[in-house]
Amino acid sequence: MNHRHGIALGIVLLALAPWVLPESLVTILNYTGLFSLVALGLVLLTGIGGMTSFGQAAFVGISAYTSAILCNSWGWSPWLSLWVGLAFVVLTALILGALTLRLAGHYLPLSTIAWGLSLYYLAGNLKLLGGHTGLSGITSIGFFGLSIDTGRRFTYLVWVIVLLAIWAIHNLLASRLGRSIRCLRGGRTMAAAMGVNVARTKLLVFVLAALLAGVSGWLYVHFQRFVNPTPFGLTYGIEYLFMTVLGGAGYLGGAILGAGIITLLREWLVEYLPVLIGQQGNYETLVLAVLIIFTLHRAPDGLWPRLAQLWGPRERKSHSQNHTAAALPLPQRGKHPERGTTVLQLTRATKRFGGLVAVNDVSFEVRAGEILALIGPNGAGKSTTFNLLSGVSPATSGQVNFLGQDITQMESHQIAKLGMSRSFQHVQLLPQLTVLENVAIGAHLRGSAGLAKAMLHLERGEEQGILQEAQRHLNRVGLGAQAHTLAGNLALGDQRILEIARALCADPCLLLLDEPAAGLRLQEKQALAKTLQQLRGEGLSILLVEHDMEFVMDLVDRIVVMEFGEKIAQGLPAEIQSHPAVIEAYLGSVE
Ligand code: ADP
Ligand code: MG
């Protein structure tokens, strides 16, 4: 049975389930659907986006209460109140996101606990929201004259929505926007260097996750027809996270699996535990906790990947293999400036890390159509210079000009937009994506399809264009045959080459390469040199950091030498070779 058959079978079973399952299991199926929606949001936010939230239940509550009040007091139709509820959810998420998403480390999860608690107490104390007693007699959802007031009818409504959500998120994750979302966990610096506005992408994911929770809240309140603060408190916020992590936070299927297992187990435990141990009490929570800890100890990525293994290994396909839309040509990004003119100018730049001066009063320029090498012993400040040029960490003082613009204080993604692209000394890629998909991240700025198009998979032409462009650059650097292997499986040297293809995919006018030849064999180095020469021939300007003197001497036009954060020499390769200060620096160092 292949993947598609599995999905089809699942849908048929779901359609039959309300008719063959006993009422109690239908209820569990319904709750699984409701919880799955919230958990799907958490997969996006936590599993894929790397932002932990204990506060999703609050978003469920905001939409539930809004809809309940509008329908109860104002006689609105649930189909109308849905949108108002979701609007409140978006508004709250935007405000909370703007305030908290910049927080690093444990502060974000802590702040989600704070807002997770606040709605519970707010709802409990506000008369308008019915206090702790809650609101009852809420209308059920009508569908073309049919009232969705039985468990069986509700199963269809909730699961159609769950399946649509899965389909849309699946599409999103396979799109250009989705690739930038995947970068949020462990690839933020790289994504920014490829032009991704990381702060905005984080906010987008946060709002999406909140929206999914909001839809769940709306369904919940009109199914239950009663609402009080309990399901929107911190306990549920934590439980949603448990479901996601238990099922597998990195997988859409994990959300459903986790929601299903916890809902079912809780129901059984509530029923049978008192019989087993002979007394009443909330022991189910304790048993669930132990089970979760045990499972996560055994399967830290959650249960979904284990289940998927039983299915047999599945070659991860990129969308390029899935659809055959005609590729739209990608826009070219600006012309190369005239050969010999100044592209990049660094003026008296200094970078301090506390007491350490990593770059000290360094000035140099890169001219259009040249390859300039930045060399120097380890720790000389070369990578730090790259970082201040590309906006990864701005200079403490001094100025950087790029194509006539002052970019000293610009953010990485803004600089990328101007036409600078780079690779990293410590390779930064998404090991779980294919080589092709990783390179496609480089083309981020050349696509424009937004969220809606990505979710409905209406950006096929553009996506195909991006993937073709990625393939073209892979072919160019000699990695064409490996396009569909996972990037994490490449040898380290090839991963560096992948980074060059990715940087080229942005169609830059200045390329910054940090030790691109490290780890390459002689033949591969020669091939790389040839590619770089070709790029120079096309008018591209290249600034590269390199250790291998031989590689540099034959290839580059000019050399800048750094030592202990300072520029000690600058000139043609032949001049540098015989420069006394350079010889001293190299012979004097431990290399
Ligand atoms: P190179 O690339 O020439 O080998 P680097 O630019 O990586 O050198 O490092 C220059 C100096 O700055 C080193 O002493 C390094 O330890 C220090 N350094 C680099 N990045 C940081 C940082 N983020 N915080 C503190 N010190 C740093
Ligand atoms: Mg370095």
Side-chain angles (χ1 to χ4, degrees), residues 353 356 358 377-384 425:
F353 295 109
L356 180 95
N378 257 334
K382 307 178 297 289
S383 295
T384 307
Q425 179 179 357

Side-chain angles (χ1 to χ4, degrees), residues 221-558:
V221 80
H222 292 288
F223 173 53
Q224 198 85 347
R225 305 185 60 187
F226 161 77
V227 58
N228 72 5
T230 314
F232 314 127
L234 190 59
T235 320
Y236 273 76
I238 294 171
E239 192 144 314
Y240 285 127
L241 201 58
F242 272 160
M243 291 176 186
T244 315
V245 172
L246 182 77
Y251 309 86
L252 297 183
I256 318 290
L257 187 66
I261 290 178
I262 294 212
T263 314
L264 195 65
L265 269 182
R266 182 176 285 285
E267 199 63 28
W268 281 347
L269 289 173
V270 167
E271 197 172 334
Y272 297 115
L273 260 191
V275 182
L276 270 179
I277 56 180
Q279 51 175 305
Q280 296 290 336
N282 290 340
Y283 293 108
E284 73 277 359
T285 308
L286 194 67
V287 177
L288 269 181
V290 172
L291 276 177
I292 287 170
I293 292 171
F294 178 76
T295 318
L296 288 182
H297 188 68
R298 285 309 182 88
D301 288 334
L303 294 171
W304 183 260
R306 293 295 174 102
L307 198 73
Q309 257 173 18
L310 299 181
W311 226 271
R314 187 160 79 91
E315 176 84 7
R316 199 180 176 291
K317 280 187 178 176
S318 58
H319 258 217
S320 57
Q321 295 157 293
N322 287 350
H323 63 73
T324 50
L328 290 179
L330 295 189
Q332 297 291 318
R333 300 197 37 250
K335 286 213 172 70
H336 294 312
E338 198 170 323
R339 203 170 279 275
T341 52
T342 302
V343 177
L344 182 78
Q345 173 95 49
L346 184 66
T347 317
R348 309 205 59 178
T350 296
K351 178 73 188 181
R352 293 174 203 278
F353 295 109
L356 180 95
V357 189
V359 175
N360 192 3
D361 202 19
V362 171
S363 307
F364 62 83
E365 58 171 30
V366 182
R367 300 174 196 145
E370 77 167 345
I371 303 182
L372 177 70
L374 188 57
I375 66 170
N378 257 334
K382 307 178 297 289
S383 295
T384 307
T385 305
F386 263 37
N387 285 344
L388 63 87
L389 289 174
S390 59
V392 171
S393 84
T396 317
S397 68
Q399 202 183 7
V400 191
N401 266 291
F402 178 49
L403 298 174
Q405 282 201 54
D406 183 355
I407 60 162
T408 320
Q409 295 302 327
M410 274 194 195
E411 287 187 58
S412 223
H413 69 97
Q414 296 169 316
I415 298 175
K417 217 170 193 167
L418 296 177
M420 189 191 298
S421 201
R422 65 166 293 180
S423 73
F424 293 87
Q425 179 179 357
H426 303 288
V427 173
Q428 292 206 26
L429 40 73
L430 304 180
Q432 299 301 329
L433 294 194
T434 63
V435 170
L436 186 70
E437 287 169 309
N438 268 283
V439 174
I441 295 169
H444 183 81
L445 287 169
R446 300 172 72 187
S448 60
L451 181 67
K453 272 193 174 172
M455 286 188 132
L456 299 172
H457 198 24
L458 294 176
E459 30 61 290
R460 290 179 173 84
E462 179 184 288
E463 176 67 7
Q464 195 65 7
I466 288 177
L467 293 173
Q468 276 188 11
E469 179 76 353
Q471 183 72 51
R472 188 168 75 83
H473 290 294
L474 273 175
N475 294 345
R476 174 164 215 185
V477 298
L479 278 181
Q482 268 119 305
H484 299 292
T485 36
L486 294 186
N489 293 346
L490 287 188
L492 195 59
D494 282 344
Q495 294 188 351
R496 290 182 180 287
I497 302 291
L498 182 161
E499 288 219 338
I500 299 176
R502 186 178 65 203
L504 285 175
C505 220
D507 191 23
C509 73
L510 175 66
L511 193 59
L512 266 52
L513 303 176
D514 200 344
E515 304 201 15
L520 294 188
R521 288 188 290 266
L522 183 64
Q523 246 176 356
E524 293 167 329
K525 278 187 185 178
Q526 284 166 346
L528 174 63
K530 220 168 128 189
T531 313
L532 296 182
Q533 273 158 352
Q534 233 174 39
L535 290 168
R536 169 174 57 188
E538 293 166 16
L540 194 70
S541 323
I542 301 171
L543 173 61
L544 79 102
V545 165
E546 193 42 67
H547 268 310
D548 185 337
M549 288 296 249
E550 217 174 311
F551 178 78
V552 168
M553 290 303 163
D554 292 343
L555 173 68
V556 308
D557 301 294
R558 293 188 305 130

Side-chain angles (χ1 to χ4, degrees), residues 100 215 328:
T100 58
V215 173
L328 290 179

Side-chain angles (χ1 to χ4, degrees), residues 138-180:
I138 299 159
T139 42
S140 46
I141 299 168
F143 193 73
F144 291 107
L146 187 74
S147 178
I148 304 194
D149 51 4
T150 66
R152 295 206 155 85
R153 287 177 186 168
F154 188 72
T155 309
Y156 288 108
L157 178 65
V158 73
W159 278 96
V160 163
I161 292 178
V162 171
L163 292 177
L164 281 176
I166 294 177
W167 175 73
I169 298 173
H170 175 80
N171 285 342
L172 173 64
L173 287 176
S175 72
R176 159 183 162 273
L177 203 54
R179 284 188 290 271
S180 61

